Amino acid sequence: MNEIERWYDEEYDEWTRLDRHKIEFEITKRYLDETIQGENLEIFDIGGGPGRYSIYLAEKGHKVSLLDLSKRNIEKAKIKAAENGVALKDYIHGNALELAPFQQKFDVILLMGPLYHLVKREERAAAVEGALRLLKRGGLLVASFISSYAPIQDSLKHLDPIEETENILSYLEDGLNQGELGFTTAYFINPLEAKRFMNSFELEEIIFAGIENVLGSRETAINQLDEGQYKKWLDICYRLSRDQNLIGTSEHLLYIGRKNDRRQID
């Protein structure tokens, strides 16, 4: 965790990442708009970085609390929220695996970062279980993953020289990214594994989507199109994002499920 915290505190600007990856941001927002219904909802954005989605949802009138491992991300969120004329309900420097102190129940919980960086299944499960404990019955859990095919798509996008093909294909075997390989420690998951993992909890699947799908490798060119053409390609991407034949072509996977706790422990 110290390595991951340092990565976001000292080396990586998470706020500007979604300026470069507009397709990911826009398609994800469409799904949030489609599934998060109601007004003035209590939302907990766990591992939400500098708050791109927190601020977006706060602008819609929701009460959003943001938790992140990076102090720099938390401070950036405060600045950006003010610039956008909103204030989040709370800004918390914390860990997705240390949710025991929190007791409030939320209508929606976003878990759109921690599952990238928890390399052990039991850690990922603990993060989901911790989030579910804080989620109201009938509430929504939104989770994101990086696909094990993402390194292939990223290499295809940039066409950087490939030293060894196994360096890219190895992610299909174990999904592990070591901290010295261009990104901090991470777990890139097989899409089918991600779907099965989330459906192993007391959740009713609403959405399982491959965010970028066929547009991923042409992202840079698509971002440069005029607004009319850009929106048409975005529509195509959105309509294909739940095509199971194309899920593996995406770099990011999105799961949205409704808490359906038969044990009724709330």
Side-chain angles (χ1 to χ4, degrees):
M1 286 301 169
N2 289 338
E3 175 208 319
I4 296 167
E5 185 174 2
R6 283 195 301 271
W7 170 260
Y8 288 106
D9 276 346
E10 301 173 9
E11 299 186 44
Y12 196 71
D13 184 351
E14 177 65 20
W15 181 270
T16 60
R17 186 184 74 81
L18 289 176
D19 292 333
R20 300 190 303 275
H21 301 299
K22 295 195 301 179
I23 294 170
E24 176 193 346
F25 193 37
E26 294 299 330
I27 296 297
T28 301
K29 287 192 296 182
R30 286 197 188 193
Y31 276 118
L32 296 181
D33 290 345
E34 179 182 321
T35 56
I36 298 176
Q37 301 294 318
E39 298 181 357
N40 204 30
L41 299 179
E42 291 280 358
I43 299 177
F44 197 10
D45 189 358
I46 300 174
R52 293 297 291 256
Y53 294 111
S54 288
I55 292 168
Y56 177 72
L57 292 169
E59 289 174 330
K60 293 181 172 293
H62 300 303
K63 295 175 287 188
V64 187
S65 298
L66 171 68
L67 178 147
D68 198 74
L69 189 64
S70 164
K71 290 181 180 178
R72 184 173 78 165
N73 279 343
I74 292 296
E75 292 306 312
K76 175 75 78 171
K78 293 177 182 178
I79 294 168
K80 291 297 184 180
E83 289 178 358
N84 284 274
V86 297
L88 303 186
K89 181 178 178 180
D90 207 354
Y91 303 86
I92 306 162
H93 177 233
N95 189 323
L97 293 176
E98 298 173 356
L99 300 176
F102 301 99
Q103 299 302 319
Q104 179 183 348
K105 298 292 184 178
F106 294 88
D107 299 294
V108 181
I109 292 182
L110 309 184
L111 200 62
M112 300 174 66
L115 301 180
Y116 298 172
H117 298 300
L118 298 171
V119 299
K120 297 179 180 179
R121 189 188 190 283
E122 56 266 32
E123 292 176 331
R124 295 191 293 276
V128 174
E129 288 166 356
L132 286 173
R133 182 182 65 82
L134 301 175
L135 186 64
K136 295 177 182 177
R137 191 182 311 118
L140 294 181
L141 180 66
V142 183
S144 293
F145 300 86
I146 298 178
S147 168
S148 54
Y149 293 91
I152 299 172
Q153 290 290 70
D154 190 62
S155 296
L156 181 60
K157 185 187 307 180
H158 301 290
L159 287 180
D160 294 328
I162 297 173
E163 294 181 6
E164 297 288 343
T165 56
E166 288 305 313
N167 291 344
I168 298 175
L169 295 174
S170 66
Y171 293 102
L172 302 179
E173 299 297 325
D174 60 20
L176 295 178
N177 185 78
Q178 303 300 325
E180 67 272 11
L181 296 178
F183 187 47
T184 189
T185 297
Y187 181 68
F188 302 157
I189 195 167
N190 177 281
L192 183 58
E193 179 189 354
K195 184 181 177 74
R196 288 174 173 168
F197 172 73
M198 293 306 299
N199 286 329
S200 70
F201 300 96
E202 294 288 347
L203 287 163
E204 174 193 355
E205 180 184 314
I206 298 173
I207 302 291
F208 184 69
I211 295 301
E212 302 90 353
N213 56 82
V214 296
L215 272 62
S217 64
R218 297 288 290 163
E219 178 183 50
T220 301
I222 290 168
N223 287 345
Q224 295 172 354
L225 293 173
D226 66 67
E227 185 176 1
Q229 288 297 308
Y230 174 77
K231 287 183 176 179
K232 289 177 181 178
W233 278 111
L234 207 63
D235 287 341
I236 291 171
C237 183
Y238 179 73
R239 291 176 65 177
L240 293 177
S241 62
R242 298 177 70 182
D243 186 330
Q244 297 302 299
N245 297 309
L246 297 174
I247 293 288
T249 63
S250 289
E251 295 179 70
H252 294 87
L253 310 170
L254 182 70
Y255 177 97
I256 303 178
R258 189 177 305 282
K259 184 177 179 180
N260 180 23
D261 195 340
R262 300 185 186 93
R263 295 168 294 177
Q264 298 186 0
I265 60 175
D266 288 356

